């Protein structure tokens, strides 16, 4: 990560002052809370709202939080959502239509003033996913103005992962567990505080007010040891060449098996930080005069997603699963010059029947290998 | 700029072609916008009916016509049925044009084979008219159209007139219950591919219609020696945004609304005909 200043040390005792400072600088501060048996990003005022001493236990089809005796705020990996709902909202009014006094049709785009938002606690995988969504919504032929303004208002305080979940495989996708891009500040939590790396001028100006001491050699040493351990703790992985290896697997038997397991619930696409599918819906107000065109998250696991000419192209679940997987892991590379997976493992934990995408890809690759013998 | 927000267009005329097919003739309320509007045949617009919804529809007027934009629409569902009731003076929303159109520049000087199926595929009819208005710029013109019932053929008198033009061949087929008034073939139009006369080394084929029909037409054309880069298809999928963002029209690595809807066969052949994509 390119830093623009020497790293500082933020003792745990000063975390509250850091949060207070961000509010004083007119940021709405968002941070992780324990909520609904997971970790959710919500407005953060007090350090004791943070998931202090919590660890997340994740396995295929399982997510739960446990309280431990360790004394850290960020010794967990991730919850169901992080940044995606802040930039690409689950529901967004795109425009409105009404008829004026002369019964003429008029269109307008509603404007809502946005607050600067500081998000504390985002992970390497979240930031890698944000870079992909930036590519999708901001760098094509058409810029999405809603994503753009929400994105421009973000100030990102990232945290390097020290305790990946068993479902994490960001080391194999090259997206984590260290933060490499897109953050303003990167924190590494140690037993008594944080190493603070500063990577934007805005962050430098803000942090100067806290009058922190520079990080010491022993902090650096602990930091690098901890990061190494976080990499080594990851047991799942995905082949770097998966996009090529599975590119001829459209007729695989693997889809038949998955078609029987998958419930087509769409959980995986809802928690995926890179999935961008959405639908538009027309909604009237009570008097049926102001009509809003809404954009809502959609999923290629829904039947409507492929409806046309009175038929559903992907009526069978096996086709929907194949559409999702071949897009995310193979054709995505043609569109974005990288895979659509950042290794966060959310689709594994939040799948109600515990389908493990890393195992599915391994099966596809094995089948391709066997066929080439 | 909000690329999702439509512009207001006036309905100049709603022409009934058959009981279920109509042509909406539109013009931007904003004069400057109408003057600046340019499109290529094969591209499409998103049309929005107040309070009902927005749908993708191809543009069928001639690109040289600066005054109106025509869309020929078949009533099939919620939005298309509601739009059929529009009258001159009504207003709707329009945004576009979107996507890649037919390779008409590439077709100059070549024999042109046009294959359509189903209910009069309007985008191909717009190409027929385009070529006929500029007849000397192209080689032979082969028009092949398959319908289910004889009644499904719209603009029938035009086909009869096109048949009389020089270097122009019209091949029509009705697959079900052709009546005594049907002078053409009964069966599938794709069974007649061998009767099309063209020079495969200097020809271009453009097709649109149901995928099964296009699939059946591809092989015979390639066997005749047509290059797969000279074989173009117009693809259709569910569409919501038309600007490559919503993911509904995704087809392999392509967004049909953006890289298509018109594709050379060579670009999509690995997926074409594969069920479920
Ligand atoms: C690029 C393109 C060009 C088209 N050009 C024409 C044309 O020139 N003339 C014409 O009559 N039709 C055309 N269609 C098909 C037309 O868009 C559908 O018939 C129309 O969307 C059906 O809407 P509905 O609400 O009446 O039907 P319903 O069956 O009630 O559909 C409900 C919704 O599903 C979606 N949908 C349904 N069918 C289609 C479809 N075939 N394609 C995309 N989305 C669909 C739409 O969002 C629609 O509002 C085109 C489609 C595409 C993709
Ligand atoms: S995938 Fe990597 S970056 Fe994301 S939570 Fe797990 S360890 Fe952290
Ligand atoms: S219609 Fe939305 S991506 Fe093509």
């Amino acid at each position: 990560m390119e830093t623009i200043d020497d790293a500082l040390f933020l003792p745990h005792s000063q975390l509250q002052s850091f949060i207070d400072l961000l509010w004083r600088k007119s940021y709405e501060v968002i941070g992780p809370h324990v909520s609904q048996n997971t970790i959710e990003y919500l407005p953060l005022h007090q350090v004791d709202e943070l998931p202090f001493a919590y660890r997340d236990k994740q396995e295929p089809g399982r997510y739960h939080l446990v309280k431990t005796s360790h004394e850290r705020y960020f010794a967990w990996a991730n919850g169901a959502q992080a940044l995606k709902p802040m930039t690409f909202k689950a529901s967004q009014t795109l425009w409105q239509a009404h008829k004026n006094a002369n019964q003429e049709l008029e269109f307008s785009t509603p404007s809502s003033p946005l607050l600067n938002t500081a998000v504390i606690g985002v992970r390497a995988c979240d930031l890698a996913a944000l870079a992909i969504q930036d590519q999708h919504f901001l760098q094509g032929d058409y810029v999405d103005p809603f994503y753009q303004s929400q994105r421009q208002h973000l100030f990102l305080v990232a945290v390097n992962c020290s305790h990946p979940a068993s479902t994490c495989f960001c080391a194999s996708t090259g997206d984590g567990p260290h933060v490499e891009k897109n953050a303003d500040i990167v924190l590494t939590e140690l037993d008594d505080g944080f190493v603070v790396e500063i990577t934007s001028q805005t962050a430098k100006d803000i942090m100067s007010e806290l009058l922190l001491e520079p990080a010491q050699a022993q902090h650096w040493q602990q930091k690098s040891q901890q990061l190494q351990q976080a990499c080594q703790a990851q047991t799942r992985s995905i082949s770097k060449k998966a996009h090529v290896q599975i590119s001829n697997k459209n007729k695989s038997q693997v889809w038949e098996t998955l078609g029987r397991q998958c419930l087509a619930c769409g959980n995986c696409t809802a928690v995926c930080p890179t999935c961008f599918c959405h639908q538009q819906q027309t909604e009237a107000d009570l008097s049926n005069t102001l009509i809003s065109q809404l954009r809502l998250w959609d999923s290629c696991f829904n039947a409507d997603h492929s409806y046309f000419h009175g038929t559903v192209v992907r009526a069978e679940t096996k086709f929907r699963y194949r559409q999702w997987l071949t897009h995310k892991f193979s054709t995505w590379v043609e569109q974005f010059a990288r895979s659509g997976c950042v290794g966060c493992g959310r689709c594994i934990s939040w799948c109600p029947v515990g389908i493990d995408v890393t195992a599915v890809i391994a099966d596809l690759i094995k089948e391709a290998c066997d066929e080439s013998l | 700029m909000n690329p999702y927000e439509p512009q207001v267009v006036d309905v100049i005329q709603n022409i009934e072609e058959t009981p279920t097919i109509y042509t909406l003739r539109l013009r931007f309320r904003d004069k400057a916008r109408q003057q600046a509007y340019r499109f290529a045949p094969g591209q499409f617009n998103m049309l929005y009916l107040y309070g009902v919804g927005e749908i993708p529809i191809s543009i069928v007027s001639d690109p040289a016509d600066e005054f109106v934009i025509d869309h020929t629409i078949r009533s099939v569902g919620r939005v298309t049925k509601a739009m059929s009731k529009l009258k001159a003076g009504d207003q709707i929303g329009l945004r576009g044009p979107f996507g890649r159109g037919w390779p008409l520049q590439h077709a100059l000087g070549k024999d042109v084979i046009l294959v359509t199926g189903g209910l009069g595929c309007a985008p191909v009819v717009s190409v027929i008219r385009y070529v006929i208005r500029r007849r000397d710029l192209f080689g032979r013109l082969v028009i092949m159209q398959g319908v289910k019932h004889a009644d499904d053929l719209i603009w029938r008198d035009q086909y009869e007139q096109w048949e009389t033009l020089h270097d122009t061949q019209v091949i029509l087929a009705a697959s079900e219950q052709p009546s005594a008034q049907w002078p053409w073939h009964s069966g599938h139009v794709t069974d007649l591919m061998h009767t099309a006369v063209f020079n495969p080394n200097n020809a271009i084929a453009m097709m649109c219609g149901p995928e099964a029909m296009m699939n059946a037409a591809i092989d015979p054309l390639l066997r005749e020696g047509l290059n797969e880069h000279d074989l173009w298809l117009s693809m259709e999928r569910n569409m919501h945004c038309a600007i490559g963002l919503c993911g509904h029209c995704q087809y392999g690595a392509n967004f049909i609304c953006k890289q298509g809807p018109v594709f050379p066969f060579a670009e999509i052949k690995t997926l074409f005909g594969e069920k479920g994509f």
Side-chain angles (χ1 to χ4, degrees):
Chain A
M1 185 102 199
E2 287 277 308
T3 54
I4 65 166
D5 208 3
D6 291 340
L8 304 170
F9 190 74
L10 174 77
H12 275 149
S13 57
Q14 267 185 272
L15 185 55
Q16 184 66 52
S17 331
F18 175 47
I19 296 169
D20 294 341
L21 173 64
L22 289 171
W23 282 104
R24 272 205 313 283
K25 293 282 169 190
S26 305
Y27 285 99
E28 143 126 270
V29 184
I30 307 281
H33 292 53
V34 173
S35 162
Q36 309 202 47
N37 301 318
T38 176
I39 304 246
E40 284 197 281
Y41 282 81
L42 299 167
L44 175 72
H45 294 272
Q46 302 297 329
V47 282
D48 58 14
E49 294 168 311
L50 289 166
F52 186 74
Y54 277 95
R55 294 284 315 268
D56 50 348
K57 299 280 175 216
Q58 302 194 45
E59 282 160 53
R62 281 175 66 82
Y63 183 101
H64 68 273
L65 292 171
V66 286
K67 199 138 191 187
T68 65
S69 58
H70 72 62
E71 303 206 325
R72 293 196 181 198
Y73 293 97
F74 297 97
W76 42 272
N78 57 32
Q81 304 283 356
L83 289 173
K84 186 168 92 168
M86 301 182 208
T87 44
F88 169 39
K89 299 217 172 261
S91 171
Q92 169 78 53
T93 301
L94 296 176
W95 45 267
Q96 291 176 315
H98 77 283
K99 295 218 169 155
N100 67 16
N102 299 327
Q103 285 302 300
E104 289 168 337
L105 184 59
E106 283 178 357
F107 295 103
S108 59
T109 298
S111 68
S112 46
L114 283 179
L115 297 174
N116 283 330
T117 305
V119 189
I120 299 182
V122 292
R123 305 308 168 104
C125 58
D126 301 328
L127 294 166
L130 182 69
I132 291 176
Q133 292 235 319
D134 284 353
Q135 230 177 315
H136 185 66
F137 287 111
L138 302 178
Q139 292 157 23
D141 300 339
Y142 296 91
V143 171
D144 183 290
F146 307 98
Y147 182 96
Q148 185 180 43
S149 59
Q150 278 135 6
R151 177 73 178 90
Q152 281 166 347
H153 285 79
L154 279 189
F155 180 81
L156 296 165
V157 183
V159 173
N160 280 322
C161 278
S162 53
H163 295 77
S166 86
T167 42
C168 292
F169 54 99
C170 61
S172 79
T173 63
D175 295 303
H178 315 46
V179 174
E180 301 288 354
K181 56 180 175 238
N182 258 346
D184 294 279
I185 295 176
V186 185
L187 305 177
T188 305
E189 186 173 33
L190 306 176
D191 284 336
D192 47 353
F194 302 88
V195 175
V196 182
E197 291 167 272
I198 293 173
T199 59
S200 74
Q201 188 58 45
T202 318
K204 184 176 171 180
D205 295 346
I206 293 174
M207 293 312 280
S208 65
E209 296 193 23
L210 282 179
L211 307 170
L212 298 175
E213 298 288 329
Q216 304 297 314
Q218 99 237 19
H219 296 135
W220 283 110
Q221 203 188 340
Q222 283 175 44
K223 178 190 161 197
S224 67
Q225 225 170 27
Q226 187 168 294
L227 290 179
Q228 204 180 348
Q229 279 164 4
C231 279
Q232 285 163 356
Q234 298 192 7
T235 52
R236 287 186 160 79
S237 66
I238 275 187
S239 157
K240 281 241 164 15
K241 285 187 282 182
H243 63 287
V244 186
Q245 292 165 304
I246 67 168
S247 63
N248 288 327
K249 298 309 297 165
N250 288 341
K251 293 192 197 324
S252 171
Q253 277 306 307
V254 170
W255 311 123
E256 306 292 331
T257 317
L258 281 157
R260 288 190 293 271
Q261 294 173 350
C262 172
L263 307 178
C265 68
N267 268 14
C268 51
T269 56
V271 296
C272 178
T274 70
C275 273
F276 53 72
C277 275
H278 55 265
Q279 54 169 303
Q280 291 191 19
Q281 263 180 32
T282 300
E283 198 182 79
D285 67 355
L286 285 177
S287 63
N288 208 23
T289 48
L290 183 65
I291 311 286
S292 297
Q293 189 78 355
L294 301 184
R295 169 173 81 192
L296 308 169
W297 281 3
D298 200 355
S299 166
C300 56
F301 283 92
N302 292 338
D304 288 3
H305 190 274
S306 64
Y307 168 85
F308 87 110
H309 271 317
T311 57
V312 174
V313 175
R314 290 180 281 282
E316 292 165 69
T317 302
K318 64 176 179 184
F319 292 140
R320 296 187 212 164
Y321 192 88
R322 182 182 66 180
Q323 174 81 4
W324 174 74
L325 188 138
T326 55
H327 179 225
K328 183 108 342 194
F329 292 90
S330 186
T331 49
W332 197 289
V333 179
E334 287 171 62
Q335 295 173 336
F336 295 89
R338 63 150 296 162
S339 157
C341 175
V342 294
C344 72
R346 289 183 172 98
C347 61
I348 303 174
S349 306
W350 297 96
C351 171
V353 294
I355 296 172
D356 176 350
V357 74
T358 62
V360 176
I361 288 183
D363 286 349
L364 286 167
I365 293 175
K366 178 166 184 310
E367 204 185 69
C369 272
D370 292 348
E371 281 161 8
S372 68
L373 288 178
Chain B
M1 228 281 288
N2 177 357
Y4 300 102
E5 187 185 313
Q7 301 296 324
V8 180
V9 288
D10 292 314
V11 177
I12 304 298
Q13 214 181 340
N14 181 352
I15 306 156
E16 183 180 318
E17 310 283 2
T18 76
T20 57
I21 299 175
Y22 56 99
T23 297
L24 289 183
R25 178 153 288 179
L26 307 171
R27 185 180 298 149
F28 283 97
R29 166 128 292 217
D30 183 53
K31 281 205 180 68
R33 211 171 263 281
Q34 179 66 42
Q35 259 155 22
Y37 186 85
R38 294 283 175 284
F39 73 93
Q43 285 191 301
F44 66 98
N45 286 323
M46 294 300 284
L47 300 185
Y48 167 77
L49 184 61
Y50 178 67
V52 184
E54 196 184 38
I55 51 168
I57 299 288
S58 308
I59 312 162
V60 295
S61 39
D62 196 285
D65 188 335
E66 292 167 21
F67 303 104
V68 292
I69 308 166
D70 287 351
H71 297 88
T72 297
I73 305 173
R74 187 178 158 218
S75 293
V76 290
R78 224 165 48 83
V79 181
T80 47
K81 280 183 185 156
M83 277 185 178
S84 70
K85 303 195 175 70
L86 287 166
K87 299 180 300 298
D90 288 342
Q91 290 168 343
I92 63 171
L94 181 152
R95 57 191 180 99
F98 297 114
R100 162 167 69 177
W102 298 108
L104 291 169
Q105 283 304 311
H106 186 62
L108 291 175
K110 296 188 173 165
D111 291 351
V112 179
I113 307 137
L114 299 165
V115 188
T116 84
L119 256 153
C121 187
V124 157
V125 174
S126 74
V127 177
I128 302 176
R129 294 189 187 139
Y130 183 94
V131 171
I132 284 177
R133 283 194 203 108
R134 301 159 180 80
R135 193 65 198 87
D136 296 342
L137 301 180
F138 299 90
R140 278 182 60 76
L141 175 62
V142 183
I143 299 167
M144 307 192 67
Q145 161 123 32
V147 291
K148 224 177 195 172
H149 302 283
D151 298 344
D152 295 342
L153 185 70
I154 63 167
W155 301 311
R156 179 171 172 155
D157 43 346
Q158 288 195 15
Y159 286 87
E160 283 166 355
Q161 194 224 329
W162 293 334
E163 245 183 339
T164 65
L165 300 176
H166 72 93
D167 279 343
T168 304
Q169 189 181 0
V170 175
I171 304 172
L172 299 173
S175 58
E176 282 172 25
Q177 311 155 349
S179 60
Q181 285 85 44
W182 183 254
W184 297 288
H185 180 77
S186 34
H188 290 285
V189 72
T190 48
D191 300 337
L192 301 176
M193 301 308 295
H194 62 278
T195 63
V197 179
F198 61 94
N199 172 5
N201 298 319
N202 189 36
I204 186 164
M206 302 181 221
M207 35 177 112
C208 128
E211 275 167 50
M213 185 277 311
M214 295 200 280
N215 212 2
I218 287 170
D219 255 5
L221 287 172
L222 295 179
R223 253 186 282 118
E224 286 288 321
L226 191 74
N227 187 302
E228 61 183 26
H229 294 276
D230 291 321
L231 181 53
W232 294 72
L233 313 142
S234 185
M235 295 292 293
E236 207 176 314
R237 281 295 176 275
N238 187 302
M239 291 189 181
H240 281 228
C241 73
I243 55 177
L245 295 179
C246 78
H248 279 266
C249 68
Q250 207 141 214
Y251 190 64
N254 291 303
F255 293 100
I256 290 181
C257 67
K258 191 168 149 186
Q259 279 86 20
V262 174
F263 290 96
F265 180 59
E267 274 179 27
I268 52 170
K269 66 177 179 185
T270 52
L271 281 194
F272 192 78
E274 185 81 59
K275 201 172 167 223
F277 278 102

